[in-house]
């Protein structure tokens, strides 16, 4: 049956592809449209059919199109009216498919900035970590104007570890722009973010980005995207998605790969035509679901959300409630009110239903709570996100160097900071640890938790981190662990090395796709536990040319024991300063992590042993001062370049009996003095 449906849908797409690319229609005010158009809608031959309607003229059906089509204007009903002056969209994509670059071009061409105003690349990536890593971590709002219509844009992260950001902000939009690379096509994170949009029945406009790449294959990308829609169970109407071809870095777009305009005009036009305007209840009591939180030094906490019904005003007294706590209501007052316009927050006196706004004055507002009319506190359904899959233990630093480099070092400081993070990071969980000064922090992946750790150390926090561990569940009486789909793009000559590496970690190869330009794409099914610490090994096995992307699949029975690391650690024998003389002999035992002059302490991991098991070495010993010399004793050996262990590398390296010491100035690995067993090979 599925195969038959697939053939039928492909036939519909082929038929629609041969139709004209544009449908011209006069601008119609849906709020005053005559109800005479309703019978025509019922007689449409396909669910995805479109029609042009002129006000005061009989409606006539038109040909189904994939691109730049016009939805049938909806009449005003008891369910609400339509705001034609607003479009709310979210931009979703896989990591590094050019999402933020395209937003930059949209802002510049919308005349948001002055002609002589200096602007940086990736304007929406305002966070320091986002600029350093080249990825979007936090969802952000902005807005542009196109022919009198306000387009609210939400820039979302592309990595699945930050899926909580996508899940909570996508409620504010009426449609999404799905960016797909013209060469790579749909990737794991493409599937994740698209699934969230389709679950909420959001209209999708597919943008084939980077169309100017020499190896671009737009037809294959569109077919792959269509198959992805079908795999995710999209309806017939959603499967008839419009397509725009673009080059975000050049700021151009078009309705065909070879017919690009000189700007992004075709993209703007498609957004206005294809994304449905919000249907609002202007006369109903106020309801606004808080979907995001920002902070300002002068205004305090700022709640961001979309007005679902009614009107919110500056200075208005409101009620705060949540569907998770029925009957519990508190009162507050709106101090200031803002809307997004031309890349800035603009203060306003009131915001009507359908628009996205930001407000201050509610010091204890939380994500998922509803701001309502004071006399009618009826909450909206709260935001739900997927459960975490990985946890780590955060605890007070107890190393010999504790308190020397950090500003916040106590367990109370640590708890207060984690509690603040819980207020805006819905995908995070914090539970008490085994001791009073430790906390078990759960997240969507090591990157999700790693970003939190990096932010905390930059804020002046000093603490210790235990090794990442997967979260298991009981399913039908069996202990199950999370499994993920891993897709590796690698040159053909390293395919064997990659398959062997995954086999060692009990990964199952699902598919091998010969790609273009001498590269292959391998798909694996592997336990999340097997992915911990795999990144660096993959880079080593592929000479730095392998690229891996993962996506959570399911919970399945535990895969059994997985050997995570074959090598032991080189552990400092005493506290002191590492010397060149000592390191020259110690480097024969393995790869060093420290340099001459570094301060080390007893129990600190200062290198990776060349063999299994740990080995204590003295890297602080100095050369004996004597007038007796032997032949060859003063020969210079030379030091190898030590391996730099950043936060991500350290979290991947550590075993069960090790932990990472995090301070604003240093990242160190040490043996856990509380570990019951030492020298374990695997987690």
């Amino acid at each position: 049956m599925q195969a038959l449906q697939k053939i039928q849908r492909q036939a519909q797409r082929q038929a629609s592809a041969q139709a004209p690319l544009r449908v011209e229609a006069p601008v119609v005010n849906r709020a005053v449209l005559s109800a005479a158009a309703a019978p025509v809608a019922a007689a449409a031959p396909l669910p995805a059919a479109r029609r042009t309607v002129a006000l005061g003229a009989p409606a006539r059906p038109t040909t189904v199109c994939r691109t730049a089509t016009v939805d049938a204007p909806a009449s005003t009903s008891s369910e609400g009216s339509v705001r034609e002056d607003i479009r709310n969209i979210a931009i979703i994509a896989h990591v590094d498919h050019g999402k933020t670059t395209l937003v930059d071009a949209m802002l510049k061409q919308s005349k948001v900035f002055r002609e002589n105003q200096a602007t940086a690349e990736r304007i929406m990536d305002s966070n320091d970590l986002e600029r350093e890593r080249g990825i979007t971590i936090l969802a952000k709002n902005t807005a542009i104007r196109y022919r009198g219509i306000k387009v609210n844009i939400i820039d979302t992260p592309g990595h699945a570890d930050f899926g909580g950001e996508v899940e909570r902000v996508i409620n504010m939009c009426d449609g999404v722009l799905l960016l797909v690379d013209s060469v790579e096509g749909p990737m794991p994170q493409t599937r994740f973010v698209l699934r969230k949009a389709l679950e909420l029945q959001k209209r999708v406009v597919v943008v084939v980005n980077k169309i100017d790449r020499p190896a671009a294959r737009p037809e294959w990308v569109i077919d792959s995207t269509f198959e992805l829609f079908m795999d995710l169970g999209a309806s017939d109407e959603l499967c008839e998605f419009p397509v725009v071809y673009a080059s975000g870095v050049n700021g151009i777009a078009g309705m065909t790969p070879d017919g690009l305009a000189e700007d992004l005009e075709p993209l703007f036009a498609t957004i206005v035509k294809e994304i449905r305007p919000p249907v609002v209840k202007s006369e109903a009591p106020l309801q606004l679901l808080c979907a995001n939180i920002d902070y300002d030094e002068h205004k305090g906490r700022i709640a961001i959300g979309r007005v679902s019904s009614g009107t919110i005003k500056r200075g208005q007294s409101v009620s705060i409630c949540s569907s998770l706590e029925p009957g519990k209501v508190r009162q507050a007052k709106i101090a200031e009110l803002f809307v997004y316009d031309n890349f800035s927050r603009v203060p306003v006196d009131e915001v009507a239903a359908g628009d996205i706004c930001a407000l201050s004055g509610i010091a204890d507002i939380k994500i998922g709570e509803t701001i309502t009319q004071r006399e009618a506190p009826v909450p909206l359904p709260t935001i739900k996100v997927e459960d975490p899959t990985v946890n780590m233990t955060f605890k007070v630093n107890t190393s010999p160097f504790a308190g020397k480099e950090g500003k916040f070092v106590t367990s109370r400081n640590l708890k207060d900071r984690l509690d603040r993070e819980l207020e805006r990071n819905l995908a995070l969980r914090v539970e008490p640890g085994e001791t009073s000064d430790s906390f078990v922090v759960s997240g969507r992946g090591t990157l999700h938790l790693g970003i939190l750790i990096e932010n905390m150390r930059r804020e002046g926090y000093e603490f210790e981190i235990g090794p990442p561990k997967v979260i298991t569940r009981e399913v039908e009486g069996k202990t199950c662990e999370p499994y993920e789909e891993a897709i590796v793009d690698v040159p053909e000559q390293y395919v064997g090395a990659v398959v062997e590496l995954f086999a060692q970690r009990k990964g199952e190869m699902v598919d091998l796709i010969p790609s273009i330009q001498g590269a292959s794409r391998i798909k694996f099914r592997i336990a999340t536990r097997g992915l911990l610490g795999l990144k660096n090994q993959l880079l080593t096995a592929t000479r730095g040319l392998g690229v891996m992307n993962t996506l959570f699949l399911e919970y399945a029975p535990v895969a059994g024991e997985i050997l995570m690391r074959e090598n032991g650690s080189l552990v400092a024998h005493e506290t002191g300063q590492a010397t060149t003389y000592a390191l020259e002999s110690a480097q024969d035992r393995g790869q060093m992590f420290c340099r001459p002059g570094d301060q080390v302490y007893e129990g600190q991991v200062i290198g990776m042993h060349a063999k299994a098991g740990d080995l204590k070495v003295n890297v602080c010993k100095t050369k004996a001062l004597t007038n007796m010399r032997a032949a060859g004793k003063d020969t210079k050996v030379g030091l190898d370049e030590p391996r730099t262990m950043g936060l991500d590398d350290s979290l991947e390296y550590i075993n069960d009996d090790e932990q990472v010491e995090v301070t604003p100035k240093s990242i160190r690995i040490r043996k856990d003095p509380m570990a019951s067993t030492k020298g374990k090979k695997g987690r």
Side-chain angles (χ1 to χ4, degrees):
M1 180 62 70
Q2 292 181 351
L4 179 59
Q5 292 177 349
K6 181 176 180 180
I7 295 174
Q8 291 175 344
R9 288 177 175 174
Q10 287 178 339
Q12 293 175 5
R13 290 185 66 251
Q14 292 174 357
S16 65
Q18 298 173 358
L21 288 176
R22 298 185 64 88
V23 176
E24 298 296 332
V27 178
V28 181
N29 189 339
R30 299 188 180 191
V32 297
L33 180 68
S34 170
V40 179
L46 289 173
R50 304 287 187 265
R51 60 191 183 280
T52 26
V53 180
L55 189 62
R60 53 187 176 85
T62 60
T63 308
V64 179
C65 296
R66 289 187 301 162
T67 55
T69 57
V70 182
D71 286 332
S75 60
T76 304
S77 66
S78 59
E79 297 181 355
S81 58
V82 178
R83 288 197 61 175
E84 287 284 356
D85 60 331
I86 289 179
R87 300 292 189 275
N88 298 314
I89 64 170
I91 301 184
I92 58 179
H94 178 78
V95 177
D96 200 32
H97 276 197
K99 171 171 46 62
T100 305
T101 303
L102 181 64
V103 174
D104 286 356
M106 294 174 68
L107 291 171
K108 292 176 181 178
Q109 294 190 21
S110 300
K111 306 299 181 183
V112 170
F113 307 104
R114 303 187 310 271
E115 292 185 0
N116 62 343
Q117 183 174 351
T119 57
E121 293 183 358
R122 304 196 312 274
I123 305 169
M124 295 293 286
D125 286 347
S126 55
N127 186 287
D128 290 339
L129 277 178
E130 291 178 325
R131 291 191 172 278
E132 292 173 13
R133 295 175 179 249
I135 60 174
T136 301
I137 299 173
L138 302 174
K140 305 174 193 65
N141 294 70
T142 188
I144 61 176
R145 296 275 178 175
Y146 174 73
R147 296 187 178 180
I149 296 177
K150 180 182 178 182
V151 181
N152 285 309
I153 301 175
I154 307 174
D155 187 19
T156 64
H159 201 286
D161 279 21
F162 309 111
E165 295 282 317
V166 180
E167 290 174 282
R168 61 184 172 83
V169 301
I170 205 170
N171 293 276
M172 293 191 289
C173 68
D174 298 295
V176 298
L177 295 186
L178 175 65
L179 264 67
V180 185
D181 189 279
S182 63
V183 177
E184 297 179 355
M187 296 291 283
Q189 272 73 49
T190 309
R191 172 182 290 270
F192 173 79
V193 293
L194 178 60
R195 184 176 75 244
K196 297 302 176 184
L198 296 179
E199 287 175 355
L200 297 175
Q201 295 296 305
K202 303 296 183 182
R203 178 67 168 160
V204 181
V205 175
V206 175
V207 180
V208 182
N209 197 26
K210 304 182 182 180
I211 195 63
D212 55 335
R213 293 183 63 177
R217 41 180 180 174
E219 288 299 324
W220 177 85
V221 170
I222 294 300
D223 291 339
S224 300
T225 305
F226 176 73
E227 292 177 0
L228 177 59
F229 271 70
M230 294 184 59
D231 292 341
L232 296 177
S235 63
D236 289 341
E237 182 178 4
L238 293 177
C239 281
E240 289 294 333
F241 50 82
V243 180
V244 180
Y245 303 89
S247 172
V249 69
N250 295 316
I252 56 177
M255 310 314 297
T256 62
D258 300 326
L260 301 181
E262 296 180 354
D263 51 23
L264 295 175
E265 172 74 18
L267 177 60
F268 290 133
T270 304
I271 291 173
V272 171
K273 291 182 179 181
E274 289 293 337
I275 303 300
R276 298 182 179 91
V279 179
V280 301
K281 300 178 181 179
S282 302
E283 304 301 326
L286 168 66
Q287 284 184 313
L288 184 152
L289 183 67
C290 179
N292 202 354
I293 287 179
D294 200 355
Y295 184 82
D296 185 270
E297 293 182 359
H298 306 289
K299 300 178 177 63
R301 184 172 297 186
I302 297 176
I304 302 172
R306 170 179 164 178
V307 183
S308 299
S309 62
T311 301
I312 188 169
K313 300 179 181 179
R314 181 169 60 89
Q316 179 180 355
S317 296
V318 296
S319 293
I320 314 297
C321 53
S322 172
S323 60
L324 298 179
E325 299 176 334
K328 186 176 180 180
V329 180
R330 63 186 190 275
Q331 276 70 44
K333 186 176 182 180
I334 307 300
E336 294 184 84
L337 194 61
F338 308 88
V339 294
Y340 292 91
D341 202 358
N342 292 337
F343 201 65
S344 62
R345 289 190 186 132
V346 180
V348 293
D349 291 330
E350 67 176 52
V351 179
D355 204 353
I356 295 175
C357 68
L359 56 95
S360 64
I362 309 177
D364 57 350
I365 187 68
K366 299 178 182 178
I367 293 176
E369 292 185 326
T370 305
I371 301 173
T372 66
Q373 202 85 17
R374 187 163 188 173
E375 301 78 14
V378 179
L380 292 168
T382 191
I383 301 171
K384 296 182 180 180
V385 298
E386 293 184 0
D387 294 331
T389 57
V390 175
N391 63 34
M392 299 179 187
T393 300
F394 288 40
K395 57 184 178 181
V396 173
N397 187 12
T398 59
S399 79
F401 292 169
K404 294 183 177 181
E405 299 177 353
K407 181 179 179 182
F408 306 105
V409 298
T410 66
S411 60
R412 178 176 294 181
N413 296 145
L414 191 58
K415 182 179 185 303
D416 291 344
R417 177 61 178 84
L418 293 175
D419 288 342
R420 291 201 307 272
E421 187 69 20
L422 285 175
E423 294 176 355
R424 69 172 314 277
N425 197 334
L426 292 187
L428 201 70
R429 302 286 188 274
V430 178
E431 300 173 351
E434 297 180 355
T435 60
S436 59
D437 60 352
S438 65
F439 307 90
V440 178
V441 183
S442 305
R444 299 285 279 269
T446 54
L447 180 60
H448 181 204
L449 297 178
I451 293 296
L452 169 61
I453 296 169
E454 183 64 31
N455 281 325
M456 290 177 64
R457 70 181 290 255
R458 295 189 180 195
E459 294 169 9
Y461 287 85
E462 180 179 310
F463 53 102
E464 291 177 346
I465 306 295
K469 299 179 180 179
V470 298
I471 301 174
T472 59
R473 290 181 181 177
E474 290 291 330
V475 180
E476 298 180 354
K478 296 182 179 180
T479 302
C480 297
E481 64 178 334
Y483 279 72
E484 300 192 30
E485 177 186 80
I487 295 181
V488 181
D489 291 306
V490 62
E492 294 178 354
Q493 61 266 34
Y494 300 118
V495 169
V498 172
V499 173
E500 182 180 357
L501 182 60
F502 273 82
Q504 292 174 356
R505 292 174 173 249
K506 298 191 176 180
E508 176 186 353
M509 187 174 72
V510 178
D511 196 8
L512 173 60
I513 306 172
S515 186
I516 58 176
Q517 296 180 334
S520 298
R521 176 171 294 177
I522 318 171
K523 184 183 297 185
F524 296 94
R525 179 181 180 271
I526 185 173
T528 303
R529 183 162 46 100
L531 292 173
L532 300 178
L534 182 62
K535 179 182 177 182
N536 286 329
Q537 294 186 24
L538 177 66
L539 292 175
T540 301
T542 61
R543 304 298 188 270
L545 300 176
V547 178
M548 179 175 66
N549 294 280
T550 61
L551 176 67
F552 171 77
L553 279 179
E554 59 182 350
Y555 271 84
V558 176
E561 184 180 358
I562 298 178
L563 184 64
M564 307 300 293
R565 197 180 82 201
E566 296 180 354
N567 303 82
S569 296
L570 298 177
V571 184
H573 180 266
E574 62 181 42
T575 302
Q577 187 180 56
T579 65
T580 304
Y581 173 72
L583 288 173
E584 284 180 348
S585 58
Q587 69 181 7
D588 295 335
R589 303 291 186 175
Q591 187 176 26
M592 306 305 297
F593 298 160
C594 63
R595 291 177 168 82
D598 289 349
Q599 294 291 333
V600 300
Y601 54 80
E602 182 182 358
Q604 179 180 338
V605 175
I606 46 89
M608 182 172 64
H609 193 196
K611 300 179 182 179
D614 298 334
L615 178 67
K616 285 190 174 183
V617 294
N618 188 356
V619 294
C620 300
K621 64 181 179 181
T622 58
K623 194 172 187 179
L625 297 178
T626 174
N627 57 2
M628 299 297 294
R629 291 289 181 269
K633 193 172 182 179
D634 293 329
T635 304
K636 296 291 184 181
V637 177
L639 289 178
D640 297 332
E641 181 66 23
R643 177 178 172 181
T644 302
M645 298 295 287
L647 177 60
D648 294 341
D649 296 326
S650 300
L651 291 176
E652 285 199 353
Y653 175 82
I654 57 177
N655 269 338
D656 276 345
D657 61 339
E658 296 168 342
Q659 54 193 17
V660 180
E661 178 187 356
V662 178
T663 76
K665 298 181 180 179
S666 308
I667 299 291
R668 304 183 186 95
I669 303 174
R670 64 176 298 210
K671 285 295 176 179
D672 186 358
M674 304 299 293
S676 57
T677 57
K678 305 214 174 196
K680 282 190 176 181
K681 295 182 183 179
R683 289 194 181 94

